Amino acid sequence: MIGGEPKTLKSWLALEIAVSVATGTDALGHFRNDGEPRRVLIFSGEGGPEVMTDRLMHLARAKGLTETDLDNAPLHVIYDTAPIVDERFINTVNYHLGEFQPDLIIVDPLYRYLTAETDLKSLASTGEMLNRLQQMTYGRGASILIPHHFNRTDRHDLLRLSGAGSAEWADTWLLLEHRETPDLHTGTF
């Protein structure tokens, strides 16, 4: 899980990790990669193809990569959203696990892949969704990364993740916050 308040750049961080994994480059200029490109599958629930292409190119250029480098990277983006328990989502994940064999799967953001009936206050309801995704990928060599929103302001830990179940499900997490108040009008963070 990558958790944070709105505009803490959760999706940007997930994409930075995606580009690094897919191109074999270091993440954030600090976390070393072995140079071996790995396959990345992104379920993108916000922004659409134009926004995604722009963000991926921006991150690639910051690493000194070209458009061709990015085009040749084993990175695949799916823009169609469906709940994690929906047959369409399950079939898409299973197809790509078999054909593409991703090493990393990003589902961004979590709320776009929940059902309308999901009770975010219920540990069992949210946990069932997340466990379903984990069961599909278990033993297939794919790690899962999910950007998710905070809903509380009284603490800075996993329990700030929106709804029950996410904190309990996550075995690895990054929690983001700004050092300084961002200027949303100019895009300065």
Side-chain angles (χ1 to χ4, degrees), residues 29-132:
H30 177 75
F31 298 97
R32 300 289 167 236
N33 196 319
D34 64 5
E36 185 69 30
R38 306 264 194 272
R39 294 171 300 276
V40 178
L41 179 63
I42 301 172
F43 287 90
S44 178
E46 294 178 333
E50 289 179 8
V51 170
M52 179 63 70
T53 300
D54 183 61
R55 287 181 177 185
L56 291 172
M57 277 310 308
H58 179 82
L59 292 165
R61 284 188 201 111
K63 296 174 178 300
L65 301 171
T66 66
E67 186 172 344
T68 301
D69 293 329
L70 190 58
D71 287 344
N72 291 332
L75 189 148
H76 184 68
V77 184
I78 297 171
Y79 300 100
D80 186 30
T81 60
I84 291 169
V85 295
D86 186 277
E87 200 66 32
R88 198 173 66 197
F89 184 87
I90 293 167
N91 290 340
T92 300
V93 170
N94 282 328
Y95 172 80
H96 283 87
L97 283 168
E99 294 297 316
F100 184 59
Q101 300 178 343
D103 297 289
L104 175 62
I105 298 173
I106 297 173
V107 179
D108 182 25
L110 178 59
Y111 81 88
R112 294 284 288 145
Y113 297 90
L114 301 176
T115 67
E117 295 79 31
T118 302
D119 180 1
L120 289 176
K121 294 179 183 176
S122 167
L123 175 64
S125 182
T126 307
E128 178 186 346
M129 295 269 193
L130 294 168
N131 283 336
R132 176 77 58 101

Side-chain angles (χ1 to χ4, degrees), residues 2-12 46 109 147-157 160-162 174-182 184 189:
I2 297 177
E5 292 181 4
K7 307 304 176 201
T8 51
L9 308 177
K10 297 177 293 294
S11 294
W12 278 95
E46 294 178 333
H148 191 37
H149 296 93
F150 279 172
N151 68 352
R152 299 176 61 162
T153 59
D154 61 334
R155 55 191 315 143
H156 190 75
D157 60 21
R160 278 198 73 189
L161 291 172
S162 182
L174 299 163
L175 302 179
L176 305 179
E177 67 181 349
H178 292 290
R179 283 187 215 134
E180 300 173 9
T181 303
L184 299 179
F189 297 89

